[in-house]
Amino acid sequence: MVGMPTQVRSHAKINLGLGIGAPRADGFHALTTVYQTLELYDVVTVTARPAKATSIRLTSNDARVPTDSRNTAWRMVEWALKAAQMHFEAEVEIHIEKRLPVQGGLGAGSANAVAALIALETELEIVNELSNVPPFGQVAEMVWNVKKLEIAAQVGSDVPLFLIGGTVLGLDRGQDVYPLPDIEPVWCVVGLPETGVSTPQAFRDWDALCAAEGLTAEASEVKLKELSRAYASAFAGTIPQAGYKTGSSGVVSNGDDLAGPQESALVRTGITSWIENDFERVVFAQQPSLREIKRILSGTGTPEAALYASLSGSGSALFGLYLTRGDAEAACARLQAAGVESRLTRTLPRTEYWRGMVL
Ligand code: C5P
């Protein structure tokens, strides 16, 4: 079992809309969101060998990454070893090579946790081992997959989405995840403001806004239910229609016979006309410079305008989605002129997410 270390890509995510409910008794908030994975990634490397007692060592090329149990990847590995029915004991070394921006909203830490788990599974051949003991075979694999989603949800609300990848509906506190039909990739520019946003503080500001506007728990529940139905029906429409082809990847595409991309599958879902991120209401009020970055990403009124632009999660990262590479590059140039750092990437469908996962 001792061999080469396993290297896994740990991709970033954005939120294609995010509806927040009133505060709950458990300290969390109900959410309705659509997560979308991006090509941008960190690399997580794991070496693991069976041992008498479990020990975990974590290192990173970035001094800001915690190297103890505060790290989500650490907790994920620790809990996964305990959760595997046969109680694996292992010596585990995790290395996190940070390439993703440190700005919040991209789920980088959460993705690292899932990448560490996938690498650990490969290193210890966990699925194989579990298949040889009751309940055996595919049932054992299914039980383990459900277990992984449970552990991920305990590690953090936006961790389980990375066990699905592609376009993902997120409900409850964001940990309750369902795969949506993948959309054809679009160009994405991530804007990286110098300032950060505290997620717990953004939620507290949201609570104050709810109180001021008299948003009741009942009304917010209705709002979120309507939102998840709207998402479901919009994505139901992405089933390939006459004139559109599904590529070898199973991704709905415009068809190869078109001279160039003329319309985006994302626009065809209809969501770009009505989605919004509720965090913008509180975060932009606190930090107007972020609203300005969204405006720059949008490029409204120009030929290179974004299909959609928004804050991602509670920020501070923002993103714009574009039909062509040229449009995206124009957005990068606008940001650069304004002194704002950016990254050019693409949205990453589920098939590609899993195909490229293990390096
Ligand atoms: O689940 P996670 O550890 O990422 O959440 C961090 C904090 O964000 C929570 O302690 C809570 O204050 C807030 N949160 C929330 N509602 C959610 C998710 C997170 O209030 N749905």
Side-chain angles (χ1 to χ4, degrees), residues 99-110:
R99 298 179 176 192
L100 291 173
V102 291
Q103 280 84 352
L106 300 173
S110 302

Side-chain angles (χ1 to χ4, degrees), residues 206-231:
W206 173 259
D207 295 348
L209 187 73
C210 286
E213 293 188 350
L215 179 69
T216 64
E218 294 74 28
S220 82
E221 202 173 310
V222 170
K223 170 186 111 166
L224 294 182
K225 282 250 163 66
E226 278 175 1
L227 195 53
S228 51
R229 284 191 204 105
Y231 275 121

